[in-house]
Amino acid sequence: MAKKTTLDFMDMKRKGEKITFLTAYDYPIASFAEKAGIDMLLVGDSLGMVVYGLPGTIPVTMDEMIIHSRAVRRGAPNTFVIGDMPFMSYQSSVEKAVENAGRFLKEAQMDAIKLEGGRRVINQIKAIVDAGIPVMGHIGLTPQSSGQLGGFKAQGRTAEAARELILDAIAIQEAGAFAILLEAIPPEVGEAITRRLSIPVLSIGAGIHCDGQLLINGDMLGLVEAFTPKFVKKYANLAEIITGAITEYVHDVRDLKFPEEKHTYKMKEGEAEKLAEFLKTIDSR
Ligand code: KIV
């Protein structure tokens, strides 16, 4: 299937077709997701937690994001892939934001970038869009500012907080973003934003009314055991499957059940005898 574009996503919103969206950090998951027909992939800075076992996303660097983005691009050459701007790759200046956004396209062939924040990063969004780079906004629970938010907590639960989110969403659209992601907010607020914006509104924990849904692959595949957010549906328990398989392997090796003959290589015709002769000379020394 041909790779979708920002125009296709606009069209899907207009037609009421839901957009499917998943994180990927490596070649195998990216290739499975493309085979499964996913519409969009996000190389999220959540890789700090899912891949590197960090407590949050703050330490993740641009160089790490580029390495993982390249692997995902190789695994999903025909899928729209978005690179996630890590902490301090865009907050401190507009110039830095444009430069780092450009790295995702130049060095990892990403189709777009995502960054966290509403009106407070609006100059960065405008400048990146002006540089010709498609931008996805991200508001609600924004993990890079979880310290300021008092932890990984749902947002927009009061009318006042919801109002601020709606104003942020409108500002992001006006700045030229092609889409926006809402994280961990009540469905009423997700619906209010989705109805008022003409660009696609993606949800991770923002309810069924949004134009599409995102999940973190480690959560939905059951690879992350530490904590599962309320908005996650687990479609598999890979942690159990993988631990079971490795346990069986450990037992097989210890009990001499692995490798079996079918897992070994045969010497070429007549070569075993020659080797035996050679070993005799060595052993008689
Ligand atoms: O990094 C990521 O995967 C994200 C999601 C939590 C939305 O930004």
Side-chain angles (χ1 to χ4, degrees):
M1 218 168 57
K3 194 207 277 189
K4 291 196 169 72
T5 67
T6 56
L7 296 181
D8 292 318
F9 299 127
M10 288 290 269
D11 212 36
M12 287 174 81
K13 174 173 179 121
R14 271 194 295 273
K15 291 181 182 154
E17 287 171 17
K18 295 291 182 185
I19 300 166
T20 58
F21 193 16
L22 185 69
T23 67
Y25 317 108
D26 55 25
Y27 177 91
I29 295 285
S31 65
F32 301 150
E34 180 163 296
K35 253 188 228 161
I38 203 85
D39 294 312
M40 273 187 197
L41 288 171
L42 171 69
V43 186
D45 63 353
S46 50
L47 64 81
M49 292 169 282
V50 180
V51 178
Y52 291 111
L54 295 165
T57 58
I58 300 297
V60 175
T61 66
M62 263 310 292
D63 288 343
E64 285 165 344
M65 292 304 302
I66 294 291
I67 288 168
H68 287 271
S69 298
R70 283 182 180 154
V72 169
R73 174 45 79 216
R74 285 194 285 269
N78 299 314
T79 303
F80 190 91
V81 186
I82 302 168
D84 200 12
M85 304 276 287
F87 184 61
M88 278 304 136
S89 68
Y90 59 96
Q91 287 93 340
S92 58
S93 79
V94 162
E95 291 72 26
K96 200 166 176 184
V98 175
E99 231 165 76
N100 282 320
R103 284 192 66 191
F104 275 109
L105 274 69
K106 280 177 81 86
E107 297 176 35
Q109 291 77 51
M110 294 290 95
D111 297 294
I113 64 91
K114 173 176 89 56
L115 54 75
E116 297 183 8
R119 282 161 290 173
R120 66 182 178 181
V121 291
I122 220 67
N123 289 336
Q124 282 88 332
I125 295 177
K126 277 185 194 151
I128 298 170
V129 171
D130 282 349
I133 300 170
V135 175
M136 174 179 280
H138 176 181
I139 57 172
L141 168 51
T142 43
Q144 290 172 18
S145 35
S146 59
Q148 214 172 34
L149 300 174
F152 292 87
K153 292 192 167 125
Q155 301 295 306
R157 299 179 71 199
T158 64
E160 176 54 25
R163 186 182 152 280
E164 291 304 309
L165 286 176
I166 293 166
L167 294 176
D168 274 337
I170 292 170
I172 289 171
Q173 172 168 284
E174 284 173 354
F178 80 95
I180 182 165
L181 175 68
L182 307 177
E183 179 166 355
I185 63 172
E188 298 90 319
V189 186
E191 183 176 13
I193 294 173
T194 305
R195 281 179 182 277
R196 279 160 188 81
L197 296 196
S198 55
I199 57 172
V201 177
L202 285 306
S203 152
I204 177 161
I208 191 102
H209 304 291
C210 295
D211 300 310
Q213 298 294 329
L214 167 68
L215 280 177
I216 291 184
N217 75 55
D219 288 336
M220 63 94 78
L221 296 174
L223 275 169
V224 177
E225 292 187 299
F227 171 70
T228 305
K230 183 180 168 68
F231 54 71
V232 171
K233 177 171 174 183
K234 265 197 186 186
Y235 287 84
N237 193 340
L238 292 194
E240 205 175 284
I241 293 172
I242 293 170
T243 310
I246 297 173
T247 305
E248 200 179 324
Y249 165 66
V250 166
H251 288 146
D252 275 3
V253 171
R254 287 182 183 152
D255 298 344
L256 300 184
K257 288 186 180 158
F258 176 83
E260 297 168 48
E261 201 183 333
K262 64 184 175 191
H263 304 123
T264 60
Y265 298 97
K266 294 208 182 331
M267 288 201 73
K268 288 186 177 166
E269 189 78 33
E271 295 301 311
E273 293 74 13
K274 286 187 207 159
L275 176 63
E277 282 306 311
F278 172 69
L279 291 176
K280 258 194 237 160
T281 63
I282 291 221
D283 294 344
S284 64
R285 274 187 200 162

